[in-house]
Amino acid sequence: METLISSDVRLLANLIQEGKVVIFPTETVYGIGASTKSEKACLRVYEIKGRPKDNPLIAHFDSIDSIAAVCELGDMGRVLLERFSPGPLTLILPKKDKSLFPKELDTLAVRIPKSPVVREWIKLSGGPISAPSANLSGRPSLTKLTDVKRYFEGVVDGILLAEEPSFGIESTVVSLVSKTPVLLRPGSIESKELLTILPDLVVPDPYTRNELLSVPLSPGTKYKHYAPTARVILASTDEFIFSLNTMSESKTTAWIGFSFDGKEGEKKKQKIGKQPLSEFDHFCKVTSNEEYASKLYAFFESCDLSGIQTIFCELPKEGIGSEGLRNRLEKASSV
Ligand code: TXA
Ligand code: MG
């Protein structure tokens, strides 16, 4: 199959209208989309990803009004979208238009991507567009066009060229379906910010999250996610530095984190200077949680491509940007 790779939003909107599958970048990760009005097209997305059928898709809209036309937005939903959209927030809402995919559910996950180009494309396609992250089910989401092409060129009908993802982890998901709002998936919009608007938001404790969601509120939470083939080890700063000092010459180990500096780091740098490893850079240094999140999945991909077997990930810094990142690292490192 030929894949149309283009920045022409009209051409790619035509594909959606014809019931085809198109990959597009969002500010979080790439999505693999089809018209929410076409069950057949949405089911093809499941087939391409190998996604379990009971895990519903997020519908992407171009505006708050277009969401209000098909869902019970309510005052709280509107306030949240006005504050955080367009952006990395997904709301689960009661569905008004029962014909939308998935028909058997009376709720719909909705979100408005940040990029004006993507919103224009959704509008031209007659919207909304249902899309999970563009990756094979279970693997990390993709954040680079080169990775998207490697997996999906020749498999999907189109790829929309627009700004690459910058946040790097998937949207924050909040359910407004029951009386009390619940944080279903942490992300770049953090619970602290949400609590200023939703003081009764239920934020599952990361350490009891699995028990709390043993009857998962969001089907996606019960599946293994975000994990590369390589083993991921979540390390404290001390453990991270220790592993660097003792294993930095290993050809099958890689590191992502903050602490490459200092005495030990300097020694390591000298070693690297003397003895260049393969073309693959085993060390990914970041300076903030935000940068860490934006680079994480692409680093996982390049590690797998280079035959890396173990990836040491330093724990995020406490504070801003740690909530979603820590959640993804814990999932990736859980066996
Ligand atoms: O940033 C993102 O959210 C990306 C971009 C492409 O928008 N999308 C994404 O989609 O991460 P996906 O399918 O990988 O994750 C969607 C999550 C899943 O955990 C799914 O179970 C949950 O949202 N979800 C979707 N519809 C739902 C519903 N009606 N009720 C509860 N959870 C729902
Ligand atoms: Mg996903």
Side-chain angles (χ1 to χ4, degrees):
M1 168 191 294
E2 199 172 327
T3 301
L4 174 65
I5 303 177
S6 166
S7 56
D8 186 329
V9 281
R10 192 166 285 283
L11 278 181
L12 285 150
N14 290 345
L15 287 182
I16 294 290
Q17 283 185 344
E18 290 162 15
K20 303 276 170 64
V21 173
V22 173
I23 291 185
F24 60 103
T26 79
E27 72 278 23
T28 57
V29 298
Y30 275 88
I32 173 166
S35 170
T36 310
K37 296 170 189 165
S38 167
E39 183 170 41
K40 197 171 159 214
C42 288
L43 289 176
R44 213 179 125 222
V45 170
Y46 281 76
E47 230 170 78
I48 292 172
K49 280 197 62 155
R51 183 177 175 100
K53 289 279 165 13
D54 66 347
N55 193 4
L57 308 182
I58 298 173
H60 296 70
F61 289 78
D62 68 314
S63 66
I64 297 180
D65 285 347
S66 53
I67 292 177
V70 295
C71 290
E72 305 282 357
L73 186 51
D75 292 344
M76 206 33 84
R78 189 171 284 279
V79 170
L80 281 171
L81 288 183
E82 276 169 1
R83 167 74 179 78
F84 295 111
S85 279
L89 178 69
T90 296
L91 297 180
I92 314 291
L93 297 171
K95 201 197 265 174
K96 279 200 292 200
D97 181 346
K98 308 285 185 215
S99 71
L100 294 178
F101 184 86
K103 282 185 188 146
E104 61 279 10
L105 281 192
D106 47 21
T107 59
L108 189 67
V110 304
R111 123 168 170 81
I112 307 174
K114 201 163 187 166
S115 156
V117 175
V118 171
R119 278 184 274 133
E120 178 66 11
W121 167 65
I122 295 171
K123 193 171 175 189
L124 289 171
S125 74
I129 293 178
S130 289
S133 48
N135 52 284
L136 300 178
S137 198
R139 287 201 49 85
S141 302
L142 299 178
T143 55
K144 295 273 171 238
L145 181 64
T146 44
D147 291 327
V148 164
K149 283 185 175 168
R150 190 156 39 78
Y151 283 101
F152 295 110
E153 193 170 3
V155 177
V156 296
D157 302 288
I159 298 176
L160 174 65
L161 297 176
E163 205 180 317
E164 290 247 83
S166 54
F167 288 89
I169 57 170
E170 306 79 356
S171 62
T172 303
V173 181
V174 174
S175 173
L176 295 181
V177 168
S178 46
K179 256 210 166 114
T180 330
V182 185
L183 177 70
L184 295 183
R185 180 173 73 185
S188 308
I189 295 171
E190 304 199 292
S191 52
K192 220 173 172 183
E193 285 175 273
L194 293 167
L195 283 163
T196 61
I197 296 177
L198 291 175
D200 57 344
L201 178 73
V202 176
V203 181
D205 180 323
Y207 300 104
T208 56
R209 197 190 309 273
N210 291 340
E211 281 160 51
L212 195 82
L213 298 182
S214 61
V215 178
L217 294 168
S218 200
T221 57
K222 73 181 176 195
Y223 295 108
K224 186 170 164 65
H225 269 313
Y226 320 117
T229 307
R231 186 159 72 111
V232 172
I233 297 177
L234 196 48
S236 68
T237 297
D238 283 351
E239 290 162 345
F240 188 78
I241 292 172
F242 180 78
S243 64
L244 268 172
N245 285 334
T246 50
M247 301 168 70
S248 67
E249 280 167 76
S250 159
K251 298 267 192 291
T252 56
T253 308
W255 288 263
I256 181 168
F258 306 91
S259 305
F260 291 93
D261 297 330
K263 200 163 146 272
E264 295 84 356
E266 280 312 313
K267 264 194 256 154
K268 184 193 66 56
K269 265 192 214 150
Q270 286 165 16
K271 269 190 204 157
I272 299 165
K274 269 190 228 138
Q275 205 183 55
L277 298 158
S278 65
E279 237 177 77
F280 167 73
D281 192 350
H282 293 234
F283 312 102
C284 181
K285 180 174 163 53
V286 295
T287 55
S288 65
N289 287 335
E290 287 84 353
E291 186 188 359
Y292 197 157
S294 77
K295 293 187 169 164
L296 181 69
Y297 289 151
F299 189 63
F300 280 173
E301 270 303 315
S302 53
C303 285
D304 278 349
L305 262 183
S306 311
I308 294 297
Q309 281 162 22
T310 307
I311 307 169
F312 284 94
C313 299
E314 187 175 355
L315 276 167
K317 300 271 183 222
E318 296 222 347
I320 295 173
S322 61
E323 193 176 44
L325 177 59
R326 195 176 167 129
N327 168 270
R328 302 310 188 274
L329 288 168
E330 278 169 359
K331 295 219 173 211
S333 62
S334 69
V335 278

